[in-house]
Amino acid sequence: MSSPATVMTIDGLMPLTDLEIYDLVKYEDNARTVVTVYRDKTGKIVKKDAWACILRPLPFTVEGGQIG
Amino acid sequence: MANTQAICTSFKNEVLLGGHQFGAITIVSRTSLTAPTTDTFKAALYLATATLGAATTAYSSTNEITGTGYTAGGVTVTNATAPTTSGTTAFWTPSASFSWVGLTQATAFDTVLVYNSTQSNRAVGVYTFGSQTVSAATFTLTMPTNAAGTALIQLN
């Protein structure tokens, strides 16, 4: 019988089956962020991953001046 | 057929490649003037209370995050794809996401500074995202598509 999959948390390795896991997705001005929250059975956050996808690049315009 | 005043697209690309020098700048040698090496760029994370922006000239550890699993100075940017052009836009994007593993940062952070660690840590760009705290985390900054209109750095 295989043991349940585990994940490293601030309290060490914990079985995924002992955790409540959910994602929070936010759209900001410059980025979309996805946060995965892991809570133990007491509701304490024991792990929180985040991904931020940069949506808005930094363009800068190169202008040519007028002669005369 | 009329002429059209414009900054040449090839010049924009060559600016990103360091191919033009209009004034004297103190640089760290790129080994050879005729076959220069590519600089190393890095990405560092900053607290939401920092004040980075257009006036930022170089990397500083002031207000850089200090959480567990984070090394001052940040991570090296993967730069496998040279700047290129499409239409009249020259652009460049790191060729891999920035990622930190095993990161715990209790104080909110919302900014990454891309800077040139070869050239005296000169600043390249400041990018903000939603304020974050993370615990025992994988934190990943996903790069946009490397194309005109979406690339991380664009000269239009």
Side-chain angles (χ1 to χ4, degrees), chain A residues 8-10 28 30-31 33 35 46-54 56-66, chain B residues 5 7 126-130 132-144 149-156:
Chain A
M8 180 58 72
T9 71
I10 58 173
E28 311 284 348
N30 296 336
T33 58
V35 177
V46 293
K47 179 178 177 64
K48 188 159 75 165
D49 292 332
W51 290 261
C53 304
I54 295 173
R56 184 181 296 175
L58 283 182
F60 58 104
T61 302
V62 182
E63 297 286 354
Q66 302 286 333
Chain B
Q5 174 168 299
I7 295 292
V126 176
Y127 301 86
T128 59
F129 44 87
Q132 304 293 325
T133 60
V134 291
S135 299
T138 295
F139 177 68
T140 303
L141 271 171
T142 303
M143 293 297 107
T150 58
L152 199 67
I153 297 176
Q154 300 180 52
L155 274 67
N156 297 324

mmCIF file of all heavy atoms in Angstrom, chain A residues 8-10 28 30-31 33 35 46-54 56-66, chain B residues 5 7 126-130 132-144 149-156:
data_model
loop_
_atom_site.group_PDB
_atom_site.id
_atom_site.type_symbol
_atom_site.label_atom_id
_atom_site.label_comp_id
_atom_site.label_asym_id
_atom_site.label_seq_id
_atom_site.Cartn_x
_atom_site.Cartn_y
_atom_site.Cartn_z
ATOM 1 N N MET A 8 6.099 19.753 1.131
ATOM 2 C CA MET A 8 6.887 20.438 2.150
ATOM 3 C C MET A 8 6.170 21.715 2.590
ATOM 4 O O MET A 8 5.806 22.551 1.775
ATOM 5 C CB MET A 8 8.273 20.795 1.595
ATOM 6 C CG MET A 8 9.170 21.513 2.600
ATOM 7 S SD MET A 8 9.450 20.555 4.122
ATOM 8 C CE MET A 8 10.543 19.284 3.515
ATOM 9 N N THR A 9 5.957 21.851 3.879
ATOM 10 C CA THR A 9 5.299 23.023 4.438
ATOM 11 C C THR A 9 6.201 23.636 5.504
ATOM 12 O O THR A 9 7.287 23.128 5.779
ATOM 13 C CB THR A 9 3.959 22.633 5.090
ATOM 14 O OG1 THR A 9 4.254 21.900 6.306
ATOM 15 C CG2 THR A 9 3.118 21.768 4.172
ATOM 16 N N ILE A 10 5.728 24.701 6.116
ATOM 17 C CA ILE A 10 6.525 25.314 7.180
ATOM 18 C C ILE A 10 6.608 24.396 8.398
ATOM 19 O O ILE A 10 7.461 24.578 9.261
ATOM 20 C CB ILE A 10 5.956 26.685 7.602
ATOM 21 C CG1 ILE A 10 4.508 26.573 8.070
ATOM 22 C CG2 ILE A 10 6.085 27.684 6.474
ATOM 23 C CD1 ILE A 10 3.956 27.865 8.646
ATOM 24 N N GLU A 28 -4.075 42.250 -11.370
ATOM 25 C CA GLU A 28 -3.563 43.546 -10.953
ATOM 26 C C GLU A 28 -3.338 44.390 -12.201
ATOM 27 O O GLU A 28 -3.574 43.938 -13.317
ATOM 28 C CB GLU A 28 -2.236 43.367 -10.193
ATOM 29 C CG GLU A 28 -2.275 42.320 -9.102
ATOM 30 C CD GLU A 28 -3.002 42.777 -7.861
ATOM 31 O OE1 GLU A 28 -3.290 43.980 -7.751
ATOM 32 O OE2 GLU A 28 -3.312 41.928 -7.013
ATOM 33 N N ASN A 30 -0.529 45.319 -13.540
ATOM 34 C CA ASN A 30 0.578 44.866 -14.385
ATOM 35 C C ASN A 30 0.705 43.357 -14.479
ATOM 36 O O ASN A 30 1.542 42.872 -15.224
ATOM 37 C CB ASN A 30 1.906 45.399 -13.840
ATOM 38 C CG ASN A 30 1.964 46.897 -13.895
ATOM 39 O OD1 ASN A 30 1.280 47.524 -14.683
ATOM 40 N ND2 ASN A 30 2.801 47.479 -13.057
ATOM 41 N N ALA A 31 -0.071 42.643 -13.702
ATOM 42 C CA ALA A 31 0.178 41.208 -13.634
ATOM 43 C C ALA A 31 -1.070 40.450 -13.210
ATOM 44 O O ALA A 31 -1.990 41.008 -12.604
ATOM 45 C CB ALA A 31 1.315 40.914 -12.647
ATOM 46 N N THR A 33 -1.903 37.250 -10.836
ATOM 47 C CA THR A 33 -1.251 36.430 -9.832
ATOM 48 C C THR A 33 -2.158 35.258 -9.458
ATOM 49 O O THR A 33 -3.375 35.402 -9.367
ATOM 50 C CB THR A 33 -0.909 37.231 -8.568
ATOM 51 O OG1 THR A 33 -2.107 37.793 -8.035
ATOM 52 C CG2 THR A 33 0.077 38.343 -8.875
ATOM 53 N N VAL A 35 -2.265 32.427 -6.447
ATOM 54 C CA VAL A 35 -1.719 32.025 -5.155
ATOM 55 C C VAL A 35 -2.387 30.719 -4.748
ATOM 56 O O VAL A 35 -3.619 30.619 -4.759
ATOM 57 C CB VAL A 35 -1.971 33.103 -4.082
ATOM 58 C CG1 VAL A 35 -1.460 32.633 -2.726
ATOM 59 C CG2 VAL A 35 -1.303 34.412 -4.490
ATOM 60 N N VAL A 46 0.030 26.674 6.054
ATOM 61 C CA VAL A 46 1.326 26.018 6.219
ATOM 62 C C VAL A 46 2.184 26.098 4.959
ATOM 63 O O VAL A 46 3.363 25.755 4.977
ATOM 64 C CB VAL A 46 1.148 24.549 6.641
ATOM 65 C CG1 VAL A 46 0.556 24.463 8.038
ATOM 66 C CG2 VAL A 46 0.294 23.801 5.627
ATOM 67 N N LYS A 47 1.571 26.539 3.888
ATOM 68 C CA LYS A 47 2.334 26.711 2.643
ATOM 69 C C LYS A 47 1.549 27.641 1.747
ATOM 70 O O LYS A 47 0.318 27.580 1.696
ATOM 71 C CB LYS A 47 2.552 25.362 1.955
ATOM 72 C CG LYS A 47 3.321 25.420 0.635
ATOM 73 C CD LYS A 47 3.506 24.007 0.074
ATOM 74 C CE LYS A 47 4.202 24.021 -1.277
ATOM 75 N NZ LYS A 47 5.587 24.539 -1.213
ATOM 76 N N LYS A 48 2.247 28.525 1.075
ATOM 77 C CA LYS A 48 1.565 29.420 0.131
ATOM 78 C C LYS A 48 2.490 29.665 -1.053
ATOM 79 O O LYS A 48 3.516 30.308 -0.916
ATOM 80 C CB LYS A 48 1.172 30.729 0.814
ATOM 81 C CG LYS A 48 0.289 31.616 -0.039
ATOM 82 C CD LYS A 48 -0.498 32.625 0.777
ATOM 83 C CE LYS A 48 0.362 33.754 1.260
ATOM 84 N NZ LYS A 48 -0.428 34.894 1.746
ATOM 85 N N ASP A 49 2.140 29.119 -2.183
ATOM 86 C CA ASP A 49 2.895 29.330 -3.415
ATOM 87 C C ASP A 49 2.287 30.499 -4.179
ATOM 88 O O ASP A 49 1.104 30.828 -3.996
ATOM 89 C CB ASP A 49 2.834 28.093 -4.322
ATOM 90 C CG ASP A 49 3.584 26.901 -3.754
ATOM 91 O OD1 ASP A 49 4.543 27.108 -2.993
ATOM 92 O OD2 ASP A 49 3.192 25.764 -4.068
ATOM 93 N N ALA A 50 3.082 31.104 -5.031
ATOM 94 C CA ALA A 50 2.549 32.193 -5.849
ATOM 95 C C ALA A 50 3.196 32.192 -7.222
ATOM 96 O O ALA A 50 4.371 31.885 -7.369
ATOM 97 C CB ALA A 50 2.782 33.527 -5.156
ATOM 98 N N TRP A 51 2.397 32.530 -8.199
ATOM 99 C CA TRP A 51 2.868 32.759 -9.557
ATOM 100 C C TRP A 51 2.384 34.141 -9.964
ATOM 101 O O TRP A 51 1.220 34.482 -9.751
ATOM 102 C CB TRP A 51 2.279 31.750 -10.541
ATOM 103 C CG TRP A 51 2.793 30.367 -10.383
ATOM 104 C CD1 TRP A 51 3.780 29.770 -11.120
ATOM 105 C CD2 TRP A 51 2.353 29.375 -9.441
ATOM 106 N NE1 TRP A 51 3.983 28.494 -10.683
ATOM 107 C CE2 TRP A 51 3.128 28.220 -9.658
ATOM 108 C CE3 TRP A 51 1.398 29.365 -8.424
ATOM 109 C CZ2 TRP A 51 2.965 27.066 -8.897
ATOM 110 C CZ3 TRP A 51 1.238 28.222 -7.670
ATOM 111 C CH2 TRP A 51 2.007 27.094 -7.908
ATOM 112 N N ALA A 52 3.263 34.916 -10.491
ATOM 113 C CA ALA A 52 2.875 36.213 -11.023
ATOM 114 C C ALA A 52 3.254 36.249 -12.490
ATOM 115 O O ALA A 52 4.411 36.007 -12.847
ATOM 116 C CB ALA A 52 3.568 37.335 -10.258
ATOM 117 N N CYS A 53 2.276 36.496 -13.325
ATOM 118 C CA CYS A 53 2.522 36.570 -14.766
ATOM 119 C C CYS A 53 2.520 38.041 -15.154
ATOM 120 O O CYS A 53 1.493 38.721 -15.018
ATOM 121 C CB CYS A 53 1.430 35.840 -15.539
ATOM 122 S SG CYS A 53 1.236 34.126 -15.031
ATOM 123 N N ILE A 54 3.658 38.521 -15.579
ATOM 124 C CA ILE A 54 3.751 39.931 -15.957
ATOM 125 C C ILE A 54 2.975 40.130 -17.249
ATOM 126 O O ILE A 54 3.247 39.487 -18.258
ATOM 127 C CB ILE A 54 5.221 40.357 -16.108
ATOM 128 C CG1 ILE A 54 5.901 40.263 -14.738
ATOM 129 C CG2 ILE A 54 5.324 41.755 -16.681
ATOM 130 C CD1 ILE A 54 7.392 40.503 -14.769
ATOM 131 N N ARG A 56 2.051 43.431 -18.476
ATOM 132 C CA ARG A 56 2.297 44.690 -19.170
ATOM 133 C C ARG A 56 3.793 44.913 -19.321
ATOM 134 O O ARG A 56 4.492 45.092 -18.327
ATOM 135 C CB ARG A 56 1.673 45.854 -18.396
ATOM 136 C CG ARG A 56 1.797 47.179 -19.114
ATOM 137 C CD ARG A 56 1.183 48.295 -18.304
ATOM 138 N NE ARG A 56 -0.250 48.114 -18.119
ATOM 139 C CZ ARG A 56 -0.991 48.918 -17.367
ATOM 140 N NH1 ARG A 56 -0.441 49.908 -16.717
ATOM 141 N NH2 ARG A 56 -2.280 48.697 -17.248
ATOM 142 N N PRO A 57 4.274 44.905 -20.536
ATOM 143 C CA PRO A 57 5.711 45.127 -20.745
ATOM 144 C C PRO A 57 6.066 46.586 -20.552
ATOM 145 O O PRO A 57 5.204 47.433 -20.337
ATOM 146 C CB PRO A 57 5.912 44.696 -22.185
ATOM 147 C CG PRO A 57 4.597 44.979 -22.838
ATOM 148 C CD PRO A 57 3.550 44.714 -21.795
ATOM 149 N N LEU A 58 7.337 46.863 -20.628
ATOM 150 C CA LEU A 58 7.824 48.227 -20.510
ATOM 151 C C LEU A 58 8.297 48.703 -21.877
ATOM 152 O O LEU A 58 9.444 48.518 -22.239
ATOM 153 C CB LEU A 58 9.005 48.301 -19.542
ATOM 154 C CG LEU A 58 8.706 48.240 -18.058
ATOM 155 C CD1 LEU A 58 9.994 48.366 -17.265
ATOM 156 C CD2 LEU A 58 7.734 49.340 -17.664
ATOM 157 N N PRO A 59 7.406 49.306 -22.654
ATOM 158 C CA PRO A 59 7.858 49.837 -23.932
ATOM 159 C C PRO A 59 8.494 51.204 -23.740
ATOM 160 O O PRO A 59 8.077 51.965 -22.873
ATOM 161 C CB PRO A 59 6.564 49.962 -24.729
ATOM 162 C CG PRO A 59 5.520 50.200 -23.703
ATOM 163 C CD PRO A 59 5.973 49.509 -22.449
ATOM 164 N N PHE A 60 9.503 51.495 -24.476
ATOM 165 C CA PHE A 60 9.945 52.880 -24.514
ATOM 166 C C PHE A 60 10.194 53.282 -25.947
ATOM 167 O O PHE A 60 10.743 52.535 -26.743
ATOM 168 C CB PHE A 60 11.115 53.175 -23.582
ATOM 169 C CG PHE A 60 12.373 52.382 -23.784
ATOM 170 C CD1 PHE A 60 13.463 52.948 -24.402
ATOM 171 C CD2 PHE A 60 12.467 51.086 -23.306
ATOM 172 C CE1 PHE A 60 14.640 52.232 -24.540
ATOM 173 C CE2 PHE A 60 13.634 50.361 -23.451
ATOM 174 C CZ PHE A 60 14.724 50.933 -24.063
ATOM 175 N N THR A 61 9.746 54.458 -26.248
ATOM 176 C CA THR A 61 9.733 54.917 -27.621
ATOM 177 C C THR A 61 11.023 55.647 -27.949
ATOM 178 O O THR A 61 11.486 56.483 -27.187
ATOM 179 C CB THR A 61 8.531 55.854 -27.854
ATOM 180 O OG1 THR A 61 7.347 55.134 -27.541
ATOM 181 C CG2 THR A 61 8.490 56.344 -29.286
ATOM 182 N N VAL A 62 11.587 55.315 -29.071
ATOM 183 C CA VAL A 62 12.776 56.009 -29.551
ATOM 184 C C VAL A 62 12.316 56.993 -30.610
ATOM 185 O O VAL A 62 11.829 56.596 -31.659
ATOM 186 C CB VAL A 62 13.786 55.006 -30.145
ATOM 187 C CG1 VAL A 62 15.041 55.719 -30.598
ATOM 188 C CG2 VAL A 62 14.119 53.937 -29.120
ATOM 189 N N GLU A 63 12.411 58.282 -30.313
ATOM 190 C CA GLU A 63 11.913 59.309 -31.216
ATOM 191 C C GLU A 63 13.057 59.954 -31.973
ATOM 192 O O GLU A 63 14.108 60.233 -31.410
ATOM 193 C CB GLU A 63 11.162 60.390 -30.417
ATOM 194 C CG GLU A 63 9.920 59.885 -29.703
ATOM 195 C CD GLU A 63 8.764 59.634 -30.643
ATOM 196 O OE1 GLU A 63 8.903 59.969 -31.833
ATOM 197 O OE2 GLU A 63 7.734 59.108 -30.198
ATOM 198 N N GLY A 64 12.831 60.222 -33.230
ATOM 199 C CA GLY A 64 13.791 60.996 -34.015
ATOM 200 C C GLY A 64 13.383 62.452 -34.017
ATOM 201 O O GLY A 64 12.203 62.779 -34.144
ATOM 202 N N GLY A 65 14.346 63.354 -33.848
ATOM 203 C CA GLY A 65 14.032 64.782 -33.853
ATOM 204 C C GLY A 65 13.898 65.321 -35.264
ATOM 205 O O GLY A 65 14.240 64.655 -36.241
ATOM 206 N N GLN A 66 13.355 66.520 -35.353
ATOM 207 C CA GLN A 66 13.197 67.173 -36.649
ATOM 208 C C GLN A 66 14.455 67.973 -36.978
ATOM 209 O O GLN A 66 15.046 68.581 -36.094
ATOM 210 C CB GLN A 66 11.989 68.128 -36.618
ATOM 211 C CG GLN A 66 10.674 67.448 -36.270
ATOM 212 C CD GLN A 66 10.144 66.607 -37.434
ATOM 213 O OE1 GLN A 66 10.433 66.886 -38.578
ATOM 214 N NE2 GLN A 66 9.385 65.574 -37.109
ATOM 215 N N GLN B 5 10.913 59.786 -42.284
ATOM 216 C CA GLN B 5 11.807 59.944 -41.137
ATOM 217 C C GLN B 5 11.512 58.887 -40.084
ATOM 218 O O GLN B 5 10.347 58.669 -39.732
ATOM 219 C CB GLN B 5 11.631 61.334 -40.531
ATOM 220 C CG GLN B 5 12.421 61.538 -39.249
ATOM 221 C CD GLN B 5 12.463 62.996 -38.851
ATOM 222 O OE1 GLN B 5 12.966 63.811 -39.587
ATOM 223 N NE2 GLN B 5 11.910 63.298 -37.694
ATOM 224 N N ILE B 7 13.545 56.383 -36.733
ATOM 225 C CA ILE B 7 14.680 55.705 -36.123
ATOM 226 C C ILE B 7 14.709 54.301 -36.702
ATOM 227 O O ILE B 7 13.682 53.614 -36.723
ATOM 228 C CB ILE B 7 14.533 55.652 -34.590
ATOM 229 C CG1 ILE B 7 14.573 57.050 -33.990
ATOM 230 C CG2 ILE B 7 15.605 54.761 -33.972
ATOM 231 C CD1 ILE B 7 15.930 57.744 -34.104
ATOM 232 N N VAL B 126 11.975 47.989 -13.795
ATOM 233 C CA VAL B 126 11.254 47.703 -12.557
ATOM 234 C C VAL B 126 9.862 47.213 -12.949
ATOM 235 O O VAL B 126 9.162 47.887 -13.701
ATOM 236 C CB VAL B 126 11.140 48.967 -11.680
ATOM 237 C CG1 VAL B 126 10.303 48.684 -10.439
ATOM 238 C CG2 VAL B 126 12.523 49.475 -11.309
ATOM 239 N N TYR B 127 9.490 46.068 -12.444
ATOM 240 C CA TYR B 127 8.195 45.477 -12.780
ATOM 241 C C TYR B 127 7.429 45.181 -11.497
ATOM 242 O O TYR B 127 7.976 44.571 -10.572
ATOM 243 C CB TYR B 127 8.377 44.185 -13.587
ATOM 244 C CG TYR B 127 9.124 44.407 -14.876
ATOM 245 C CD1 TYR B 127 10.515 44.385 -14.902
ATOM 246 C CD2 TYR B 127 8.444 44.681 -16.051
ATOM 247 C CE1 TYR B 127 11.210 44.617 -16.080
ATOM 248 C CE2 TYR B 127 9.127 44.906 -17.234
ATOM 249 C CZ TYR B 127 10.506 44.879 -17.243
ATOM 250 O OH TYR B 127 11.189 45.118 -18.399
ATOM 251 N N THR B 128 6.194 45.597 -11.467
ATOM 252 C CA THR B 128 5.378 45.368 -10.285
ATOM 253 C C THR B 128 4.339 44.290 -10.566
ATOM 254 O O THR B 128 3.964 44.037 -11.708
ATOM 255 C CB THR B 128 4.667 46.651 -9.836
ATOM 256 O OG1 THR B 128 3.837 47.113 -10.898
ATOM 257 C CG2 THR B 128 5.676 47.731 -9.465
ATOM 258 N N PHE B 129 3.894 43.665 -9.491
ATOM 259 C CA PHE B 129 2.838 42.658 -9.573
ATOM 260 C C PHE B 129 2.047 42.757 -8.271
ATOM 261 O O PHE B 129 2.368 43.573 -7.423
ATOM 262 C CB PHE B 129 3.424 41.260 -9.787
ATOM 263 C CG PHE B 129 4.619 40.961 -8.918
ATOM 264 C CD1 PHE B 129 4.446 40.450 -7.647
ATOM 265 C CD2 PHE B 129 5.906 41.211 -9.364
ATOM 266 C CE1 PHE B 129 5.538 40.185 -6.833
ATOM 267 C CE2 PHE B 129 7.004 40.958 -8.551
ATOM 268 C CZ PHE B 129 6.817 40.445 -7.280
ATOM 269 N N GLY B 130 1.043 41.975 -8.127
ATOM 270 C CA GLY B 130 0.237 42.053 -6.924
ATOM 271 C C GLY B 130 1.041 41.739 -5.673
ATOM 272 O O GLY B 130 1.875 40.843 -5.665
ATOM 273 N N GLN B 132 2.486 40.259 -2.480
ATOM 274 C CA GLN B 132 2.465 38.853 -2.096
ATOM 275 C C GLN B 132 3.144 38.618 -0.752
ATOM 276 O O GLN B 132 4.080 39.328 -0.390
ATOM 277 C CB GLN B 132 3.245 38.010 -3.123
ATOM 278 C CG GLN B 132 2.780 38.136 -4.535
ATOM 279 C CD GLN B 132 1.407 37.557 -4.748
ATOM 280 O OE1 GLN B 132 1.060 36.568 -4.121
ATOM 281 N NE2 GLN B 132 0.628 38.165 -5.604
ATOM 282 N N THR B 133 2.689 37.611 -0.046
ATOM 283 C CA THR B 133 3.484 36.953 0.993
ATOM 284 C C THR B 133 3.440 35.474 0.659
ATOM 285 O O THR B 133 2.449 34.995 0.091
ATOM 286 C CB THR B 133 2.919 37.184 2.405
ATOM 287 O OG1 THR B 133 1.595 36.657 2.462
ATOM 288 C CG2 THR B 133 2.917 38.661 2.779
ATOM 289 N N VAL B 134 4.519 34.761 0.976
ATOM 290 C CA VAL B 134 4.547 33.336 0.638
ATOM 291 C C VAL B 134 5.137 32.556 1.805
ATOM 292 O O VAL B 134 5.896 33.104 2.619
ATOM 293 C CB VAL B 134 5.372 33.071 -0.638
ATOM 294 C CG1 VAL B 134 4.679 33.628 -1.873
ATOM 295 C CG2 VAL B 134 6.775 33.643 -0.516
ATOM 296 N N SER B 135 4.798 31.278 1.865
ATOM 297 C CA SER B 135 5.282 30.395 2.932
ATOM 298 C C SER B 135 5.733 29.077 2.336
ATOM 299 O O SER B 135 4.973 28.445 1.597
ATOM 300 C CB SER B 135 4.172 30.132 3.954
ATOM 301 O OG SER B 135 3.752 31.327 4.558
ATOM 302 N N ALA B 136 6.967 28.694 2.642
ATOM 303 C CA ALA B 136 7.526 27.425 2.130
ATOM 304 C C ALA B 136 7.185 27.267 0.657
ATOM 305 O O ALA B 136 6.777 26.200 0.207
ATOM 306 C CB ALA B 136 6.990 26.242 2.941
ATOM 307 N N ALA B 137 7.394 28.319 -0.080
ATOM 308 C CA ALA B 137 6.769 28.445 -1.394
ATOM 309 C C ALA B 137 7.702 28.200 -2.559
ATOM 310 O O ALA B 137 8.916 28.322 -2.455
ATOM 311 C CB ALA B 137 6.200 29.853 -1.535
ATOM 312 N N THR B 138 7.063 27.893 -3.655
ATOM 313 C CA THR B 138 7.661 28.145 -4.957
ATOM 314 C C THR B 138 7.051 29.449 -5.443
ATOM 315 O O THR B 138 5.826 29.561 -5.559
ATOM 316 C CB THR B 138 7.333 27.021 -5.948
ATOM 317 O OG1 THR B 138 7.950 25.820 -5.491
ATOM 318 C CG2 THR B 138 7.867 27.358 -7.324
ATOM 319 N N PHE B 139 7.905 30.430 -5.655
ATOM 320 C CA PHE B 139 7.417 31.706 -6.189
ATOM 321 C C PHE B 139 7.975 31.859 -7.597
ATOM 322 O O PHE B 139 9.184 31.819 -7.803
ATOM 323 C CB PHE B 139 7.837 32.886 -5.326
ATOM 324 C CG PHE B 139 7.401 34.206 -5.918
ATOM 325 C CD1 PHE B 139 6.072 34.535 -5.982
ATOM 326 C CD2 PHE B 139 8.327 35.088 -6.447
ATOM 327 C CE1 PHE B 139 5.656 35.725 -6.562
ATOM 328 C CE2 PHE B 139 7.930 36.289 -7.024
ATOM 329 C CZ PHE B 139 6.589 36.610 -7.081
ATOM 330 N N THR B 140 7.087 32.035 -8.534
ATOM 331 C CA THR B 140 7.483 32.101 -9.937
ATOM 332 C C THR B 140 6.955 33.372 -10.567
ATOM 333 O O THR B 140 5.784 33.711 -10.418
ATOM 334 C CB THR B 140 6.929 30.891 -10.712
ATOM 335 O OG1 THR B 140 7.397 29.692 -10.095
ATOM 336 C CG2 THR B 140 7.388 30.914 -12.167
ATOM 337 N N LEU B 141 7.842 34.068 -11.250
ATOM 338 C CA LEU B 141 7.438 35.201 -12.071
ATOM 339 C C LEU B 141 7.483 34.737 -13.516
ATOM 340 O O LEU B 141 8.551 34.492 -14.071
ATOM 341 C CB LEU B 141 8.395 36.377 -11.871
ATOM 342 C CG LEU B 141 8.055 37.349 -10.764
ATOM 343 C CD1 LEU B 141 9.196 38.315 -10.537
ATOM 344 C CD2 LEU B 141 6.783 38.103 -11.085
ATOM 345 N N THR B 142 6.325 34.581 -14.094
ATOM 346 C CA THR B 142 6.228 34.066 -15.453
ATOM 347 C C THR B 142 6.441 35.188 -16.454
ATOM 348 O O THR B 142 5.816 36.247 -16.351
ATOM 349 C CB THR B 142 4.858 33.411 -15.662
ATOM 350 O OG1 THR B 142 4.678 32.392 -14.686
ATOM 351 C CG2 THR B 142 4.751 32.801 -17.048
ATOM 352 N N MET B 143 7.316 34.940 -17.392
ATOM 353 C CA MET B 143 7.628 35.972 -18.378
ATOM 354 C C MET B 143 6.563 36.028 -19.472
ATOM 355 O O MET B 143 5.957 35.012 -19.815
ATOM 356 C CB MET B 143 8.987 35.684 -19.022
ATOM 357 C CG MET B 143 10.148 35.828 -18.073
ATOM 358 S SD MET B 143 10.316 37.523 -17.461
ATOM 359 C CE MET B 143 9.732 37.344 -15.779
ATOM 360 N N PRO B 144 6.346 37.215 -20.023
ATOM 361 C CA PRO B 144 5.388 37.313 -21.128
ATOM 362 C C PRO B 144 5.972 36.712 -22.398
ATOM 363 O O PRO B 144 7.167 36.401 -22.469
ATOM 364 C CB PRO B 144 5.199 38.833 -21.271
ATOM 365 C CG PRO B 144 6.464 39.426 -20.746
ATOM 366 C CD PRO B 144 6.931 38.503 -19.665
ATOM 367 N N GLY B 149 4.806 43.861 -28.678
ATOM 368 C CA GLY B 149 3.524 44.059 -28.009
ATOM 369 C C GLY B 149 3.434 43.375 -26.666
ATOM 370 O O GLY B 149 2.616 43.753 -25.827
ATOM 371 N N THR B 150 4.254 42.345 -26.463
ATOM 372 C CA THR B 150 4.177 41.636 -25.189
ATOM 373 C C THR B 150 5.531 41.465 -24.503
ATOM 374 O O THR B 150 5.568 41.175 -23.307
ATOM 375 C CB THR B 150 3.578 40.223 -25.391
ATOM 376 O OG1 THR B 150 4.375 39.507 -26.324
ATOM 377 C CG2 THR B 150 2.139 40.308 -25.866
ATOM 378 N N ALA B 151 6.615 41.613 -25.208
ATOM 379 C CA ALA B 151 7.934 41.327 -24.648
ATOM 380 C C ALA B 151 8.233 42.196 -23.435
ATOM 381 O O ALA B 151 7.660 43.265 -23.240
ATOM 382 C CB ALA B 151 9.005 41.539 -25.711
ATOM 383 N N LEU B 152 9.167 41.739 -22.625
ATOM 384 C CA LEU B 152 9.455 42.434 -21.374
ATOM 385 C C LEU B 152 10.060 43.813 -21.625
ATOM 386 O O LEU B 152 9.753 44.770 -20.927
ATOM 387 C CB LEU B 152 10.420 41.589 -20.519
ATOM 388 C CG LEU B 152 10.457 41.944 -19.042
ATOM 389 C CD1 LEU B 152 9.142 41.611 -18.371
ATOM 390 C CD2 LEU B 152 11.600 41.218 -18.344
ATOM 391 N N ILE B 153 10.935 43.909 -22.590
ATOM 392 C CA ILE B 153 11.523 45.201 -22.956
ATOM 393 C C ILE B 153 11.287 45.425 -24.443
ATOM 394 O O ILE B 153 11.602 44.562 -25.259
ATOM 395 C CB ILE B 153 13.031 45.233 -22.657
ATOM 396 C CG1 ILE B 153 13.270 45.086 -21.162
ATOM 397 C CG2 ILE B 153 13.652 46.542 -23.173
ATOM 398 C CD1 ILE B 153 14.741 45.016 -20.798
ATOM 399 N N GLN B 154 10.734 46.590 -24.763
ATOM 400 C CA GLN B 154 10.449 46.882 -26.148
ATOM 401 C C GLN B 154 10.882 48.288 -26.508
ATOM 402 O O GLN B 154 10.662 49.216 -25.740
ATOM 403 C CB GLN B 154 8.941 46.765 -26.411
ATOM 404 C CG GLN B 154 8.389 45.392 -26.114
ATOM 405 C CD GLN B 154 6.914 45.309 -26.377
ATOM 406 O OE1 GLN B 154 6.443 45.665 -27.457
ATOM 407 N NE2 GLN B 154 6.153 44.866 -25.403
ATOM 408 N N LEU B 155 11.478 48.428 -27.644
ATOM 409 C CA LEU B 155 11.773 49.747 -28.208
ATOM 410 C C LEU B 155 10.871 49.934 -29.408
ATOM 411 O O LEU B 155 11.032 49.255 -30.422
ATOM 412 C CB LEU B 155 13.245 49.855 -28.639
ATOM 413 C CG LEU B 155 14.246 50.262 -27.559
ATOM 414 C CD1 LEU B 155 14.365 49.179 -26.508
ATOM 415 C CD2 LEU B 155 15.597 50.559 -28.165
ATOM 416 N N ASN B 156 9.932 50.826 -29.245
ATOM 417 C CA ASN B 156 8.928 51.014 -30.307
ATOM 418 C C ASN B 156 9.339 52.130 -31.261
ATOM 419 O O ASN B 156 10.064 53.032 -30.898
ATOM 420 C CB ASN B 156 7.568 51.320 -29.686
ATOM 421 C CG ASN B 156 7.057 50.169 -28.850
ATOM 422 O OD1 ASN B 156 7.273 49.021 -29.202
ATOM 423 N ND2 ASN B 156 6.421 50.467 -27.737
#
